[in-house]
Amino acid sequence: MQNRLKILFDEIDQAVSRLVKLYPAEIRCRKGCADCCHAVFDVSLAEAVALQQAFLELPRKKRRQATLQAEKAMKEWNTLKKEIRKPSDISNTRIRCPLLDSDNSCMLYIWRPVNCRTYGAPLEIQGRSVACGLCRFQEGKRYETIRMELIHQRLHELSLSMDRIIGDRRWPVSAIILDVS
C-alpha cells in the first residue's frame, strides 16, 4: 500500500513542480509559508495509515508536541462542526495543523497528504478552478490545473483496497495523531 501511495505522491509532486515552473510569478509557495498548514481538511484511509506509521517513528519529543497541538486542533474542529451551516463555512476556517513545527515546517513532510502537496497550485475541483489566496492567479485568465477528482478517485480506490468497510471514511489529521490504534 505505501508503495502505491508513494507512487501517487511522486506523480502529484511532479505535476505541482511542472506548474510551479509554468507559473513562477503566480504560485507563492515558499519554504516557511504555512498558509496550507491552517486549512481545514480531512484525509483518506491510505493517507491516514501512512501518517500514523510515520508519526510513530518521530522522536518522543516531537510526538508529544504534535499530540498537544492535536488535542487543541480537535477541540477547535469539534466546535467548528457544530457551527457549519454550509460547505463554504469550512473553507474560511483556519486551524493549525498539529504536524506544523515551531519553525513552520512539517514534521512529516515526506508523507504529507494530497491537500498539502497541491495547495498552492491551480486546481480544478468539481469543475471550478481554485488556488491558494496568497497566489497571484488572475480572475478570468486560463491556467493549466490539477484535476483533484482524479487524484481523490485514486486515493479512494487505494483506501478501499486496504479495507472495504472503512475505506470510505476520512479523518482530520489531529484525529489520526490522537488515535494511533
Side-chain angles (χ1 to χ4, degrees), residues 39-41 87 91 114-116 118-132 143-152 170:
V40 176
F41 64 89
S91 63
V114 165
N115 286 352
C116 305
T118 59
Y119 190 81
L123 308 175
E124 180 185 321
I125 301 173
Q126 296 177 342
R128 290 188 44 227
S129 295
V130 297
C132 166
Y143 297 95
E144 187 175 325
T145 61
I146 294 174
R147 293 185 56 208
M148 293 304 290
E149 277 88 8
L150 298 176
I151 293 171
H152 285 139
R170 296 183 63 85

Side-chain angles (χ1 to χ4, degrees), residues 3-161:
N3 232 11
R4 290 172 53 200
L5 184 61
K6 185 73 172 114
I7 290 168
L8 176 60
F9 283 173
D10 289 344
E11 290 173 13
I12 293 166
D13 292 345
Q14 289 171 11
V16 170
S17 291
R18 184 174 172 285
L19 292 176
V20 167
K21 288 176 185 163
L22 278 174
Y23 310 118
E26 290 86 353
I27 297 177
R28 309 299 300 157
C29 298
R30 303 290 182 266
K31 187 174 180 142
C33 177
D35 189 63
C36 59
C37 303
H38 293 82
V40 176
F41 64 89
D42 51 18
V43 299
S44 67
L45 175 63
E47 294 167 297
V49 168
L51 283 172
Q52 277 187 343
Q53 290 172 347
F55 176 74
L56 293 173
E57 294 174 10
L58 285 174
R60 172 178 268 171
K61 185 177 179 180
K62 292 283 185 193
R63 286 195 317 266
R64 181 72 183 135
Q65 175 188 346
T67 299
L68 292 172
Q69 290 175 186
E71 289 169 351
K72 181 180 179 196
M74 276 308 292
K75 285 179 186 172
E76 292 176 40
W77 174 252
N78 288 330
T79 300
L80 170 68
K81 285 193 312 187
K82 295 174 190 170
E83 298 171 359
I84 295 173
R85 301 289 179 251
K86 55 189 183 298
S88 61
D89 292 344
I90 292 176
S91 63
N92 297 322
T93 304
R94 313 296 285 162
I95 297 177
R96 181 185 173 89
C97 178
L99 296 172
L100 185 60
D101 214 340
S102 58
D103 66 351
N104 277 349
S105 64
C106 179
M107 292 182 209
L108 298 178
Y109 186 80
I110 293 171
W111 291 105
R112 70 198 184 283
V114 165
N115 286 352
C116 305
R117 291 172 186 278
T118 59
Y119 190 81
L123 308 175
E124 180 185 321
I125 301 173
Q126 296 177 342
R128 290 188 44 227
S129 295
V130 297
C132 166
L134 301 178
C135 291
R136 295 185 177 155
F137 291 101
Q138 296 174 15
E139 188 77 30
K141 189 174 176 184
R142 296 180 75 68
Y143 297 95
E144 187 175 325
T145 61
I146 294 174
R147 293 185 56 208
M148 293 304 290
E149 277 88 8
L150 298 176
I151 293 171
H152 285 139
Q153 181 61 37
R154 286 181 62 189
L155 273 175
H156 184 251
E157 290 166 4
L158 182 54
S159 295
L160 285 176
S161 74

